[in-house]
């Protein structure tokens, strides 16, 4: 089992991991790069949502077994969306982009 799947095994563990990673990234931005807490959170929030919408469609396959479709379900809905894994992957990629942004751009006092 991969570390990503291990951390995505339960919702509380996934949320705790995401919160811890965000807290570390924001602390680094505030202490090391003179961003305000609000500015760091706002920048990370925008990056996180942008990456989420890019990552959501990856690896999705519609339900192939017609017996498993529930009445009213969209036939194109993913059979296994793996949202917790995608939330963790989004957090990691947005964290990398966040660090690159604060390293490259002069964002002090943002």
């Amino acid at each position: 089992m991969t570390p990503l799947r291990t951390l995505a095994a339960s919702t509380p563990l996934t949320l705790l991991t995401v919160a811890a990673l965000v807290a570390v990234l924001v602390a680094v931005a505030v202490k090391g790069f003179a961003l305000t807490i609000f500015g760091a959170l706002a920048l990370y929030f925008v990056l996180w949502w942008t990456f989420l919408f890019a990552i959501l469609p990856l690896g999705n396959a519609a339900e192939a077994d017609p017996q498993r479709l529930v009445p009213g379900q969209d036939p194109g809905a993913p059979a296994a969306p793996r949202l917790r894994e995608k939330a963790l992957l989004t957090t990691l990629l947005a964290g990398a982009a966040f660090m690159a942004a604060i390293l490259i751009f002069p964002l002090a006092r943002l």
Side-chain angles (χ1 to χ4, degrees), residues 63 65-70 73 79:
E63 183 61 64
D65 183 11
Q67 298 295 335
R68 296 192 65 204
L69 289 177
V70 177
Q73 177 181 345

Side-chain angles (χ1 to χ4, degrees), residues 9-90:
S10 71
T11 301
L13 182 59
T14 302
L15 290 173
L16 182 65
T17 304
V18 168
L21 288 171
V22 171
V24 167
L25 288 168
V26 169
V28 167
V30 169
K31 294 289 184 187
F33 295 91
L35 269 74
T36 64
I37 293 174
F38 180 78
L41 286 171
L43 176 61
Y44 187 80
F45 177 79
V46 169
L47 288 170
W48 196 90
W49 277 102
T50 302
F51 275 91
L52 177 67
F53 287 117
I55 290 172
L56 274 177
L58 299 179
N60 285 342
E63 183 61 64
D65 183 11
Q67 298 295 335
R68 296 192 65 204
L69 289 177
V70 177
Q73 177 181 345
D74 186 320
R82 301 181 343 261
L83 294 177
R84 290 188 299 255
E85 288 178 36
K86 290 179 182 183
L88 289 170
L89 185 59
T90 299

Side-chain angles (χ1 to χ4, degrees), residues 29 33-35 43 98-110:
F33 295 91
L35 269 74
L43 176 61
F98 179 76
M99 291 305 294
I102 63 175
L103 284 169
I104 294 170
F105 301 110
L107 300 174
R109 308 286 185 257
L110 172 68

